Amino acid sequence: MVIKCARWRGYGFMSTITVLIADDSELIRDLLSEIIAADSEMKIVGKARDGEEALHMIKSMKPDVVLLDVVMPKLDGLAVLDMLHEDPEVVKQPIVLMLSAIGSEYITDDAFARGADYYLMKPFSAQNIIRQVKHVYKMKTGVRKKKTETTGLEKGFREICERQTTMLLHELGIPTRVKGFQYVRDGVLMYLEDQGKINFVTKILYPEIAAKNGTKSANVERGVRTAIDIAYSRGNIERLHELFGVNSSKERQRPTCSEFIAVIAEDIRRTAEQENKG
């Protein structure tokens, strides 16, 4: 494989990211292909129509990243995740971003437990797909300085993140008096300190937020969901569309609690890094 070099804004030179798309919908495959092909830092190496074809292409093409639908014929996305770790012919473990129209916390947690690296809700915006593929790739390949991602935040940078998080939640229309405001804010900051916690929302993140606020994990989840509902009911829909996609104002397509926290955290990270550099 020929490795091409492309400049990532602010991060130096990186090799082109090879991407495999696995989705039973031809429309989604073509849409994702157009989105990825339009970015000079990524390259499509294959498109699979079902889980079996996806597994075969992963073994033969060895992509860096796989965009994997949860619901597919022959093998669903969760089964493909299992096979990636069980099949000895898989010599290169790809970074896997799950795609789903199902906003179930159970399915999300199950996907992460089986080895998924990120979970994206349908419908998605082109901007969010590009942003998350690049971010997860950078995280998994160790590009960023771990000081601000896995071992805690420097004091000055943390203060910027705290302020920016408060401002963004207000911008989204979540009032400070709502308990979910504090729960989301704490979750965002915990994510920024250790992104891995978002992979274990119910086992790690919620209990830590609950302990900090003197409540129970179930109350944290309920509070975060209430905050999301408030934002989508009477908040800044335009800003929500910018973060989560243009169609995400529909009830059934609202982000999961973990996606809400993760996407906000990534937006805060970028904003805070820009301010910190200035």
Side-chain angles (χ1 to χ4, degrees), residues 240-274:
L240 289 164
H241 284 174
E242 181 183 336
L243 288 169
F244 299 100
V246 296
N247 295 318
S248 56
S249 60
K250 296 179 181 179
E251 177 68 30
R252 65 182 178 84
Q253 295 169 341
R254 294 179 183 181
T256 64
C257 294
S258 56
E259 183 185 20
F260 192 73
I261 290 172
V263 172
I264 287 177
E266 287 307 319
D267 189 80
I268 294 299
R269 189 199 302 281
R270 284 185 294 275
T271 303
E273 285 178 345
Q274 290 173 1

Side-chain angles (χ1 to χ4, degrees), residues 118-262:
Y118 201 80
Y119 197 98
L120 284 163
M121 289 293 297
K122 297 178 182 177
F124 41 73
S125 66
Q127 180 185 26
N128 197 35
I129 286 287
I130 295 296
R131 179 173 59 202
Q132 297 306 337
V133 169
K134 290 183 178 181
H135 168 69
V136 177
Y137 180 80
K138 291 174 186 177
M139 289 291 296
K140 296 294 289 186
T141 54
V143 174
R144 292 181 185 270
K145 293 181 179 179
K146 294 183 179 180
K147 185 67 176 180
T148 60
E149 288 190 340
T150 59
T151 59
L153 301 173
E154 294 176 346
K155 183 179 179 181
F157 187 72
R158 181 183 177 85
E159 290 175 353
I160 295 173
C161 290
E162 289 175 348
R163 175 167 48 79
Q164 292 288 352
T165 301
T166 298
M167 290 172 58
L168 179 55
L169 293 181
H170 283 153
E171 183 184 0
L172 294 179
I174 304 173
T176 309
R177 67 177 183 276
V178 175
K179 291 182 179 179
F181 179 97
Q182 186 61 47
Y183 299 158
V184 172
R185 186 175 184 274
D186 289 343
V188 167
L189 295 172
M190 290 177 184
Y191 174 102
L192 291 170
E193 290 178 342
D194 182 358
Q195 188 197 3
K197 290 179 181 178
I198 204 69
N199 295 345
F200 304 96
V201 176
T202 57
K203 295 180 177 63
I204 298 178
L205 188 63
Y206 287 165
E208 288 191 9
I209 296 173
K212 181 177 179 181
N213 290 276
T215 187
K216 298 179 180 179
S217 295
N219 293 335
V220 171
E221 181 175 10
R222 188 158 48 245
V224 173
R225 175 50 58 187
T226 297
I228 295 172
D229 289 342
I230 289 173
Y232 276 90
S233 297
R234 53 179 185 267
N236 188 336
I237 294 299
E238 183 177 347
R239 187 71 170 99
L240 289 164
H241 284 174
E242 181 183 336
L243 288 169
F244 299 100
V246 296
N247 295 318
S248 56
S249 60
K250 296 179 181 179
E251 177 68 30
R252 65 182 178 84
Q253 295 169 341
R254 294 179 183 181
T256 64
C257 294
S258 56
E259 183 185 20
F260 192 73
I261 290 172

Side-chain angles (χ1 to χ4, degrees), residues 75-86:
L75 283 177
D76 63 25
L78 298 178
V80 172
L81 285 174
D82 289 337
M83 293 300 294
L84 288 178
H85 298 284
E86 297 172 2

Side-chain angles (χ1 to χ4, degrees), residues 20-112:
L20 173 68
I21 298 167
D23 197 296
D24 61 328
S25 167
E26 183 178 4
L27 178 64
I28 296 296
R29 290 197 305 272
D30 290 344
L31 175 61
L32 286 170
S33 182
E34 289 179 9
I35 292 172
I36 299 299
D39 192 287
S40 62
E41 295 163 352
M42 294 188 283
K43 176 184 177 182
I44 294 292
V45 294
K47 294 188 287 185
R49 295 165 293 183
D50 57 62
E52 286 186 359
E53 188 174 25
L55 186 61
H56 174 74
M57 288 185 174
I58 289 170
K59 289 189 286 187
S60 62
M61 297 177 176
K62 303 178 181 62
D64 296 320
V65 174
V66 177
L67 298 176
L68 183 64
D69 189 23
V70 171
V71 180
M72 292 188 296
K74 298 186 179 180
L75 283 177
D76 63 25
L78 298 178
V80 172
L81 285 174
D82 289 337
M83 293 300 294
L84 288 178
H85 298 284
E86 297 172 2
D87 194 328
E89 294 183 16
V90 179
V91 296
K92 176 184 176 180
Q93 289 291 330
I95 295 166
V96 180
L97 284 78
M98 303 300 292
L99 305 173
S100 179
I102 304 172
S104 166
E105 292 283 351
Y106 173 80
I107 294 178
T108 305
D109 290 346
D110 193 21
F112 283 128

